[in-house]
Amino acid sequence: MSSESAHKILNDPEFRSLASQKNTVSLILTIIELTLYFGFIGLIAYDKGFLAEKIAEGSAITIGIPIAVGVIVLSWVLTGIYIFWANSSYDEMVKRVKKRVGG
Amino acid sequence: MVAQQAQQYQTVIGTLNPVSVLCFLLFVLATLGITYWAAKKTKTASQFYAAGGGITGFQNGLALSGDYMSAASFLGIAGLVSTKGFDGLIYSVGWLVGWPIVMFLISEPLRNLGKYTFSDVVAFRLQQRPIKTAAAIGSLVTVLFYLTAQMVGAGTLIKLMFNLPYESALYIVGGLMIAYVLFGGMLATTWVQIIKAVLLLGGATVLVLLTLSKVDFSYGKLFHLAASKYGNSFLEPGGLISDPLDAFSLGLALMFGTAGLPHILMRFYTVPDAREARKSVFYATGFIGYFYILTVTIGFGAAVLVGKEFITKIDAGGNMAALTLAEFNGGSMFLGFLAAVAFATILAVVAGLTLAGATALSHDLYVGVFRNGQANEKEEMRVAKIATVGLGIAAVLLGILFKGQNVAFMVGLAFAVASSANFPALLLSITWKKLTTAGATLSIYTGMIVAVGLIVLSPTVYVDVMQAKEVKAMNTAAALVTKLDQEIKAPGLAPNQLLAKQTELAKAKTDAEAAKKAVKPAPFKMKNPGVFSMGLAFLVAFLVSLLTREKQAEEMFESEKVRTYLGIGAEGAAKH
């Protein structure tokens, strides 16, 4: 790609909105994932007592166990959210911009 | 009732089990057949490195999970959970959380910008030779640490499972992995990983169902039994994380290390485009997450049904937890099947690592650096094949060299280097316009040297590995003190006996003190250097880049950006 045509695409409003949307979505999801995991680690480091509480009266299961499994499941759900957004919205935008600039 | 069963129970682990030999031979036969088929389709460099870009997102998702779920995670994490309870779970979680990061930050740009390796991406607008040299070294260091850990693990496990001599096990693993990669390239490697992933996920699922059937399919009952057998603390966080900064540091390495593992990153070139690359991470995260959730049940199930004491008697590290549980639930047939799956697991991982290492040598170093990007296809393929054989032999030799050593730290080291050397340069090359050749190169070297250096100076290596003899002496001396102390406190000791014991205790205490002094403390107190090595790598990249402006690289960032988001000009799938 020549630098002129690259320059033109970069200034295309739709390309700019596509790029900034993609960055925002990636950034937000990354921050959520980091919060999830480091929150879990933080609980282990600073509030062991909370994780050691039982989920219900008479049950041996501690809150920590569903939370650990929950972090795994939510991580996967986050990748699902990204896929859903990318497949339905991002790919369409890419297709439109590409068609217009003839890429 | 359950406890009684466990006590009477005996194991055939460690004997040559006909079922596992048969299963393993079937696996070898099938994979060699695939290699023969793949060899006919592996003529060009693109086919050798990337299976011609013709793998689907779903297939690649399975292959990624096959590449990532090592025997260490199958046997090791189940073992950790069965012996340490909740603390083992922390690892199950930690090994998964890097995958969403790979998806959100890396997978699509990586696919759009590169050809076969992540160093293609870093070198996209920077100077080829210095960048490719640094990135190839970063890749090779990561691969070699990982490979050594896998080979030593392979030899030890196979010896435990089949009572096969350590060296013979390494020759078998080495020979097969060279055959897969050398003749079948990425296509054969991919299918070995897919088959292994299906076998492992299927086998683990059956194991979990059999385990749950023993506790009336009730997790309440499973955990109730665990708590009554080992106390409530078994289900609570224990002493694994005592230093929050160290835990944070480990978390950084696990989260961002996955996004810097060369054998994982190169898999994104096997799919036709960024869309399939992104999809493959979704499937991989699902499969790997599902698998780690299974290891939780397997670990607690083994602790409850088989018993911690029995598991640690076979192997002190608890690595045989999943296999003893398999035998308990499904007899020697099922044990044989799962042992063969564990063997296959090792093979698939080392094949992927060997291919990644060979690609760093041939595509990055030979073509990118020595031939300045100018080499014909035939020549590149020849070098790649020589590199494959060379790396395979090196892996076997490293396995023999580190026989009997504690190499668990090497996986940690691989993740530390991946997150500190490979990841920062890769991320910044995609996102930061002002990154320069000097900034990226120095960042890679800084991350690598600081990560390796600090781990060598950490308690894990400096004390546990380098002073293993002294540590053992210290533990023995301390154990003697405890023993004598208890004997003295025991009632019914005659006065003259008591006096003798007290003298003995005094001497033992002096000895213990001396033995403790003989162990030199580690200069670096933390076990995980990630927070420093990764932090410094980013800092160096920023500072050096700001001091050395590279006009051409900044100009090229525009076309890089267009390619990152739109995929215009990206390497397409090979035309068939």
Side-chain angles (χ1 to χ4, degrees):
Chain A
M1 162 154 310
S2 75
S3 60
E4 275 158 62
S5 56
H7 197 70
K8 220 178 93 200
I9 296 175
L10 277 186
N11 286 322
D12 182 280
E14 198 171 9
F15 177 82
R16 288 168 72 148
S17 114
L18 160 161
S20 87
Q21 271 188 53
K22 148 99 179 126
N23 293 347
T24 313
V25 171
S26 291
L27 197 67
I28 290 174
L29 289 172
T30 302
I31 290 170
I32 296 175
E33 178 65 25
L34 288 171
T35 315
L36 264 181
Y37 179 57
F38 286 111
F40 175 62
I41 294 291
L43 277 179
I44 296 168
Y46 295 108
D47 198 355
K48 288 191 173 64
F50 171 70
L51 293 174
E53 275 172 38
K54 307 284 181 231
I55 53 166
E57 194 76 25
S59 170
I61 302 177
T62 53
I63 290 179
I65 293 169
I67 286 185
V69 173
V71 173
I72 295 181
V73 174
L74 280 175
S75 297
W76 184 59
V77 170
L78 287 181
T79 64
I81 292 173
Y82 182 80
I83 282 278
F84 179 77
W85 170 78
N87 284 353
S88 59
S89 165
Y90 184 64
D91 284 353
E92 287 305 311
M93 286 189 281
V94 169
K95 218 187 282 171
R96 274 204 304 273
V97 174
K98 266 170 108 169
K99 206 169 155 192
R100 205 144 39 77
V101 300
Chain B
M1 193 195 73
V2 168
Q4 269 171 359
Q5 274 174 329
Q7 268 155 18
Q8 291 154 7
Y9 156 76
Q10 300 238 314
T11 181
V12 295
I13 290 176
T15 56
L16 214 54
N17 179 334
V19 180
S20 64
V21 174
L22 188 73
C23 290
F24 182 67
L25 285 180
L26 276 176
F27 176 81
V28 170
L29 225 63
T31 48
L32 287 179
I34 285 170
T35 308
Y36 178 77
W37 161 79
K40 286 189 269 185
K41 298 183 159 203
T42 304
K43 304 277 181 246
T44 65
S46 154
Q47 287 162 344
F48 183 78
Y49 296 133
I55 306 288
T56 68
F58 180 75
Q59 289 167 343
N60 194 41
L62 268 174
L64 279 168
S65 46
D67 224 350
Y68 193 72
M69 297 181 297
S70 60
S73 44
F74 174 43
L75 303 174
I77 291 185
L80 271 173
V81 175
S82 74
T83 53
K84 300 210 184 324
F86 184 85
D87 277 358
L89 268 169
I90 300 170
Y91 284 94
S92 299
V93 177
W95 292 112
L96 180 86
V97 292
W99 282 94
I101 305 292
V102 172
M103 178 188 260
F104 306 148
L105 300 180
I106 300 293
S107 66
E108 293 159 285
L110 185 80
R111 180 65 190 84
N112 278 339
L113 295 173
K115 200 169 177 192
Y116 306 129
T117 62
F118 85 89
S119 60
D120 290 339
V121 178
V122 187
F124 187 86
R125 63 194 156 98
L126 303 176
Q127 289 165 40
Q128 292 282 321
R129 285 172 109 161
I131 291 291
K132 289 223 153 180
T133 310
I137 295 175
S139 300
L140 278 172
V141 169
T142 314
V143 164
L144 282 174
F145 280 129
Y146 214 128
L147 199 53
T148 307
Q150 294 295 327
M151 290 304 270
V152 175
T156 318
L157 288 175
I158 291 166
K159 191 171 180 317
L160 259 174
M161 290 188 294
F162 306 103
N163 204 20
L164 207 65
Y166 181 91
E167 282 81 5
S168 319
L170 290 192
Y171 298 143
I172 296 175
V173 171
L176 283 170
M177 78 182 185
I178 291 175
Y180 296 149
V181 178
L182 185 63
F183 301 113
M186 183 53 105
L187 189 57
T189 306
T190 301
W191 281 100
V192 169
Q193 283 159 348
I194 291 176
I195 294 174
K196 163 263 176 102
V198 171
L199 286 174
L200 187 58
L201 290 166
T205 305
V206 173
L207 182 57
V208 163
L209 289 177
L210 287 173
T211 304
L212 288 178
S213 75
K214 294 270 171 15
V215 291
D216 311 326
F217 291 95
S218 153
Y219 275 100
K221 192 171 171 193
L222 177 71
F223 288 113
H224 180 75
L225 284 169
S228 54
K229 206 166 174 180
Y230 302 107
N232 281 332
S233 65
F234 198 62
L235 304 177
E236 297 167 2
L240 192 68
I241 291 182
S242 45
D243 177 357
L245 186 65
D246 212 351
F248 177 67
S249 202
L250 171 68
L252 280 181
L254 289 176
M255 277 216 127
F256 299 107
T258 311
L261 292 175
H263 64 298
I264 295 295
L265 296 178
M266 99 178 268
R267 288 224 57 91
F268 291 111
Y269 300 109
T270 65
V271 293
D273 53 31
R275 189 185 156 94
E276 291 298 310
R278 163 217 302 160
K279 253 204 243 168
S280 58
V281 190
F282 174 66
Y283 289 120
T285 313
F287 289 131
I288 298 168
Y290 170 70
F291 177 73
Y292 284 141
I293 292 174
L294 294 183
T295 61
V296 176
T297 312
I298 295 173
F300 281 110
V304 166
L305 298 174
V306 182
K308 216 155 74 165
E309 299 72 21
F310 192 84
I311 295 165
T312 45
K313 215 170 66 193
I314 308 177
D315 173 67
N319 285 316
M320 291 296 117
L323 294 179
T324 50
L325 183 67
E327 192 182 15
F328 178 84
N329 281 325
S332 65
M333 287 270 287
F334 191 47
L335 166 72
F337 170 72
L338 266 196
V341 171
F343 204 157
T345 289
I346 294 168
L347 266 176
V349 175
V350 293
L353 285 166
T354 305
L355 181 55
T359 309
L361 282 170
S362 57
H363 179 67
D364 294 339
L365 263 190
Y366 181 80
V367 179
V369 178
F370 294 120
R371 302 302 308 273
N372 226 347
Q374 311 292 321
N376 67 43
E377 188 109 4
K378 234 173 142 182
E379 197 183 342
E380 180 164 2
M381 282 289 278
R382 201 176 65 232
V383 177
K385 296 203 157 183
I386 296 170
T388 304
V389 177
L391 259 178
I393 294 172
V396 173
L397 291 178
L398 282 168
I400 293 173
L401 186 69
F402 284 94
K403 180 183 176 179
Q405 307 249 8
N406 178 1
V407 289
F409 74 91
M410 284 196 187
V411 174
L413 204 45
F415 270 80
V417 174
S419 61
S420 308
N422 307 345
F423 174 73
L426 177 59
L427 182 71
L428 291 177
S429 73
I430 297 167
T431 52
W432 193 39
K433 185 176 179 179
K434 291 205 160 86
L435 183 74
T436 64
T437 303
T441 316
L442 284 173
S443 163
I444 292 174
Y445 290 127
T446 306
M448 184 160 49
I449 292 167
V450 174
V452 175
L454 286 184
I455 287 190
V456 169
L457 296 178
S458 78
T460 326
V461 174
Y462 192 82
V463 178
D464 296 350
V465 175
M466 280 156 62
Q467 303 182 75
K469 237 173 39 203
E470 287 84 352
V471 170
K472 209 176 153 195
M474 177 180 81
N475 290 337
T476 323
L480 184 66
V481 172
T482 325
K483 188 175 151 250
L484 289 169
D485 212 31
Q486 277 167 358
E487 282 173 8
I488 287 170
K489 281 188 190 125
L493 217 56
N496 60 334
Q497 277 177 318
L498 186 66
L499 201 67
K501 288 270 180 215
Q502 271 167 346
T503 329
E504 219 178 311
L505 178 65
K507 188 182 171 294
K509 272 188 175 159
T510 334
D511 288 350
E513 206 56 41
K516 202 174 165 185
K517 266 198 196 125
V519 178
K520 288 190 285 289
F524 180 65
K525 299 291 170 223
M526 285 163 53
K527 287 184 173 162
N528 302 287
V531 70
F532 298 107
S533 51
M534 211 176 131
L536 273 174
F538 272 112
L539 191 70
V540 165
F542 280 125
L543 291 182
V544 175
S545 294
L546 290 176
L547 288 172
T548 55
R549 274 196 76 179
E550 205 166 318
K551 248 190 127 203
Q552 205 200 344
E554 282 181 37
E555 277 164 14
M556 269 184 81
F557 186 68
E558 295 200 333
S559 54
E560 177 181 313
K561 206 170 161 188
V562 170
R563 192 160 151 174
T564 302
Y565 291 101
L566 302 183
I568 296 174
E571 295 285 326
K575 288 149 204 86
H576 293 287

